[in-house]
Amino acid sequence: MPMPWFLLSLALGRSPVVLSLERLEGLQDAARCSPGLSCHLWDGDVVCLPGSIVSAPGPVLVPTSLQTELVRRCYQETDCDLCVRVAVHLAVHGHWEKPEDEEKLGRAADPEPEEPRNASLQAQVVLSFQAYPTARCVLLEVQVPAALVQPGQSVGSVVFDCFEAALGTEVQIWSYTQPRYQKELNLTRQLPALPWLSVTADGDNVHLVLDVSEEQSFGLSLYWNQVQGPVKPWWHRNLTGPQTIPLNQTDIVPCLCIQAWPLEPDSVRTSICPFTEDPRAHRNLWRAARLQLLPPRGWRLDAPCSLHAQATLCWQAPSRGPCQPLVPPLPRENVTVNMALEFPLLKGHPNLCVQQVSSWEKMQLQLQECLWADSLGPLKDDMLLVEAGGPQDNRSFCALEPSGCTPLLSRASTRAARLGEQLLQDLHSGQCLQLWDDDLGALWACPMDKYIHQRWVLVWLACLLFAAALFLLFLLKKDHVKAAATGRAALLLYSADDAGFERLVGALASALCQVPLRVAVDLWSRRELSAQGPLAWFHAQRRRTVQEGGLVVLIFSPGAVALCHEWLQDAGPAPGAHGPHDAFAASLSCVLPDFLQGRAPGRYVGAYFDGLLHADAVPALFRAVPVFSLPSQLPAFLGSLQGPRGPRPGRLGERAEQVARALQPALDSCLRTPGTAGMGRGMGPEAGDRT
């Protein structure tokens, strides 16, 4: 149902409630009257000319008061505008006057009929409406039947639908009759604004602030208000409660508008375009504008908003100096965004560029695009020759240079003057490309490649030789760089005394990988070990490690020492005495010959853990190679593993500390286990597979 004006003003406060305004369909204005009256709305608007006040000849209709309310005029399902409905209340003014002789003699019988004094009344009522920038006047014809004509009494009202207006604007309404019998009525109203939508700026930070209640749901849309085409939102969200939304600085352009509305049926939408006069928005618009080449000689300026700019052609030399206007200058064209334009050219050239110049208040903005650079390649070292019009034997030529247009046959010290005769020969022999031609003259682009000094050839040869030397050096250092990046190889051999000792070896292997070293250990290769067998697996790993210049690390424990003694005293253990994954037992058949024949130095190192084995327990045969106590001798151990190309001592000490921290928890766990320190092997066939 319609909402009275004062209720609407009260409702639209800081946190507005949702209103349900009456909905009007279509674009046509309409008028209706109170019961008993008849009215008609003239087609189209009329000219507002109140005229002077005249005396009433008798009873006449005059407006006595004005009343307004808001309605919605809808063109489509969701496309509605705010509209002001105006009701004009009418009354009878004046009365019939008696003739003077009738008042003296009394009313005599008159044989001729007389017009009844209580006849129906007709009036032309004018409504004038102003709401910047809109001004309208409409004319309503109203007729009152004789039965309702009572001097000084109200006869009803006529209602007009409707005058469109925007939220937040001030509207002024006048009403009078033609002819005018009294001073016109006037009414001024401030349409309610929606203060819950605003934009704040703090330096470069721009925020959209929506101050609504927490339970209020609303839609928010950002769109470009373009002159051409329908409005197409490029950002839309349905939100709830108060919101502060940051706006991307680069998205702010003069035509950026914001629309918000409550998510309720028949709700009123409000829009603001706050950046139309913002200098930053105009700069962003210029940065967002793009020139696009449309083959064969067309072009278009693409931009989100319309802008006032002029375009002209210029010549851009490869030196990246300023783009020089063509001589004679081609006329500037006014630019309409997103519309195709034509170049007055015969041929395209990569050095021909388009300059867009715009002036907004005191800001001078310029955009330049060399549109043919993509299709015709990079800028060329061509000389632009300008041919001035005249008789065939009286034509003059000059070359466009940074200092101006230099006559070809002159004594100037420029490149064009020195090569003037050669350029004319190139022109007459057809080596130059004609870009433009009319009655004023012509433009020619002449290639300059063959005039480049020969010394640049030597420079290029020197550069090529230098590049070849660098490439050769790279190939020579390739293997070294690869090895340095991946680390030296290390194969760890140990005896699986128990689960705790296996965890300790695993911690050592993981820490060595971070050094970095390329570590191989049977703990990480159980599947290969089962498939190949311990002896075949050890042979493959040992061969690869030795070939890559790595080291085999023998980790001694009580169990490993016992195994070594068995081999040295009994020439090997009994078959099947150890688990299928015991690579240490299998490897001794290959390790011992290397030590017995003196091939171990440079291929093997030994190691044992502090507290688990004494240095004297290591068999004398294996002391032919360095044997390190871990973690007390970690720096020397790491230095031996990494070789002469390892890191500097300071860096080596840091890595040793990292490895020591990784080993210590597992070593402490082994030392706390009863019977671990100094224990014997303690493993037999029943130990089985420790995977």
Side-chain angles (χ1 to χ4, degrees):
M1 61 179 291
M3 179 71 69
W5 179 270
F6 73 95
L7 289 180
L8 179 64
S9 301
L10 291 175
L12 292 177
R14 182 169 180 81
S15 297
V17 298
V18 177
L19 298 177
S20 179
L21 301 180
E22 183 177 345
R23 180 188 180 99
L24 303 180
E25 302 289 346
L27 299 173
Q28 296 297 323
D29 296 333
R32 67 179 187 275
C33 306
S34 300
L37 305 184
S38 61
C39 56
H40 170 69
L41 173 65
W42 278 36
D43 293 336
D45 291 358
V46 299
V47 179
C48 297
L49 294 174
S52 303
I53 298 177
V54 299
S55 300
V60 292
L61 286 177
V62 294
T64 58
S65 64
L66 297 173
Q67 185 178 353
T68 59
E69 66 179 316
L70 286 181
V71 294
R72 293 185 308 124
R73 169 172 283 172
C74 299
Y75 315 105
Q76 297 177 0
E77 182 65 26
T78 59
D79 186 8
C80 300
D81 288 331
L82 198 64
C83 215
V84 180
R85 170 182 288 168
V86 182
V88 184
H89 296 273
L90 302 172
V92 178
H93 174 71
H95 53 82
W96 296 106
E97 296 183 357
K98 296 180 180 181
E100 293 183 0
D101 55 351
E102 186 176 315
E103 291 178 357
K104 294 179 180 179
L105 302 177
R107 185 177 180 87
D110 192 344
E112 296 193 11
E114 185 179 272
E115 183 181 351
R117 299 274 176 104
N118 60 346
S120 63
L121 296 181
Q122 184 174 349
Q124 291 184 339
V125 180
V126 177
L127 277 177
S128 175
F129 178 87
Q130 288 189 3
Y132 181 81
T134 304
R136 293 188 60 193
C137 276
V138 296
L139 181 63
L140 305 168
E141 286 189 351
V142 184
Q143 188 168 359
V144 181
L148 297 180
V149 178
Q150 298 293 331
Q153 298 296 318
S154 173
V155 296
S157 62
V158 58
V159 177
F160 171 75
D161 287 330
C162 57
F163 296 115
E164 292 183 8
L167 285 170
T169 59
E170 182 182 80
V171 300
Q172 293 180 322
I173 305 171
W174 292 269
S175 181
Y176 53 88
T177 58
Q178 288 184 343
R180 186 160 63 96
Y181 302 113
Q182 64 180 19
K183 184 178 180 181
E184 65 268 18
L185 293 178
N186 67 81
L187 180 67
T188 301
R189 286 289 184 266
Q190 180 72 39
L191 294 189
L194 296 183
W196 47 282
L197 176 60
S198 62
V199 176
T200 63
D202 180 13
D204 292 335
N205 300 319
V206 181
H207 294 86
L208 178 62
V209 180
L210 296 106
D211 188 6
V212 299
S213 60
E214 292 185 357
E215 64 275 5
Q216 176 75 60
S217 298
F218 58 91
L220 182 67
S221 177
L222 302 182
Y223 63 94
W224 289 327
N225 188 24
Q226 296 176 317
V227 176
Q228 301 93 358
V231 172
K232 295 181 179 179
W234 57 271
W235 188 91
H236 173 82
R237 293 289 187 277
N238 291 335
L239 304 170
T240 302
Q243 298 281 341
T244 299
I245 302 171
L247 297 180
N248 194 340
Q249 179 72 21
T250 58
D251 291 335
I252 297 175
V253 291
C255 63
L256 177 62
C257 298
I258 305 160
Q259 187 179 74
W261 64 96
L263 292 178
E264 295 291 343
D266 298 335
S267 60
V268 177
R269 297 191 177 200
T270 182
S271 297
I272 59 173
C273 302
F275 306 108
T276 55
E277 302 298 326
D278 191 334
R280 294 175 301 177
H282 284 267
R283 284 192 291 267
N284 288 339
L285 172 61
W286 199 246
R287 296 189 188 104
R290 292 292 180 268
L291 288 168
Q292 181 178 356
L293 179 65
L294 303 176
R297 294 185 302 275
W299 64 284
R300 183 179 65 221
L301 177 63
D302 296 330
C305 311
S306 60
L307 51 82
H308 302 288
Q310 289 185 323
T312 187
L313 289 171
C314 62
W315 181 262
Q316 179 64 64
S319 60
R320 297 297 179 182
C323 196
Q324 298 172 268
L326 299 184
V327 179
L330 299 182
R332 289 181 177 266
E333 291 190 49
N334 291 325
V335 179
T336 301
V337 298
N338 306 323
M339 187 177 75
L341 299 171
E342 288 288 333
F343 288 114
L345 294 172
L346 299 176
K347 297 287 184 179
H349 193 279
N351 294 33
L352 279 175
C353 304
V354 180
Q355 273 189 348
Q356 304 275 349
V357 180
S358 176
S359 178
W360 180 78
E361 292 188 353
K362 296 182 180 181
M363 294 173 56
Q364 292 291 333
L365 304 173
Q366 181 171 306
L367 175 67
Q368 177 177 314
E369 290 282 350
C370 300
L371 298 180
W372 284 279
D374 292 336
S375 58
L376 300 181
L379 299 178
K380 296 182 179 180
D381 192 17
D382 289 0
M383 185 70 70
L384 184 68
L385 300 186
V386 180
E387 179 182 357
Q392 185 66 29
D393 56 352
N394 195 25
R395 288 179 173 265
S396 61
F397 295 89
C398 65
L400 192 62
E401 295 186 293
S403 58
C405 201
T406 306
L408 290 185
L409 301 178
S410 68
R411 297 181 179 180
S413 59
T414 64
R415 181 173 67 162
R418 290 193 300 268
L419 301 174
E421 293 185 2
Q422 292 93 322
L423 290 173
L424 284 176
Q425 292 176 4
D426 293 344
L427 178 63
H428 295 317
S429 62
Q431 299 183 38
C432 299
L433 177 68
Q434 188 176 26
L435 304 179
W436 175 70
D437 186 20
D438 73 352
D439 296 338
L440 297 176
L443 295 177
W444 304 83
C446 298
M448 300 290 290
D449 297 340
K450 59 183 178 181
Y451 301 114
I452 297 177
H453 201 282
Q454 296 297 323
R455 65 182 179 184
W456 291 109
V457 176
L458 298 177
V459 175
W460 282 111
L461 287 176
C463 292
L464 290 176
L465 290 175
F466 181 69
L470 287 179
F471 182 70
L472 181 60
L473 183 62
F474 170 76
L475 292 179
L476 293 176
K477 297 294 184 180
K478 181 178 179 181
D479 293 339
H480 170 64
V481 173
K482 182 177 179 181
T486 57
R488 197 179 183 191
L491 172 61
L492 305 188
L493 295 178
Y494 70 100
S495 173
D497 291 9
D498 58 18
F501 190 76
E502 280 190 306
R503 286 194 296 270
L504 179 58
V505 173
L508 175 62
S510 299
L512 292 180
C513 288
Q514 305 299 320
V515 170
L517 292 169
R518 289 180 291 116
V519 178
V521 63
D522 63 348
L523 278 173
W524 300 341
S525 306
R526 289 294 168 84
R527 183 174 298 176
E528 298 176 16
L529 211 63
S530 298
Q532 301 175 11
L535 188 59
W537 179 86
F538 167 74
H539 272 295
Q541 295 297 328
R542 174 182 172 277
R543 182 173 59 253
R544 181 182 306 149
T545 302
V546 173
Q547 287 177 351
E548 294 178 358
L551 288 176
V552 179
V553 181
L554 301 176
I555 302 177
F556 292 99
S557 64
V561 171
L563 270 176
C564 291
H565 285 305
E566 290 181 19
W567 273 92
L568 292 173
Q569 294 173 4
D570 303 329
H578 305 284
H581 298 159
D582 200 339
F584 187 84
S587 67
L588 286 178
S589 62
C590 298
V591 171
L592 285 175
D594 286 341
F595 277 87
L596 293 172
Q597 298 173 15
R599 297 193 301 266
R603 297 183 179 182
Y604 294 83
V605 294
Y608 61 92
F609 294 103
D610 296 336
L612 297 183
L613 190 72
H614 193 271
D616 295 338
V618 177
L621 177 65
F622 296 100
R623 296 177 194 170
V625 298
V627 179
F628 302 97
S629 177
L630 305 181
S632 59
Q633 295 179 340
L634 264 174
F637 176 66
L638 295 181
S640 178
L641 290 182
Q642 292 190 297
R645 296 177 180 177
R648 62 183 184 274
R651 180 63 176 161
L652 187 64
E654 295 176 1
R655 293 178 178 177
E657 292 179 2
Q658 295 174 1
V659 175
R661 286 194 296 269
L663 284 179
Q664 199 61 49
L667 181 59
D668 292 342
S669 176
C670 284
L671 293 175
R672 286 194 299 268
T673 302
T676 300
M679 70 178 183
R681 169 150 178 86
M683 293 181 61
E686 71 277 7
D689 188 3
R690 296 182 179 275
T691 57

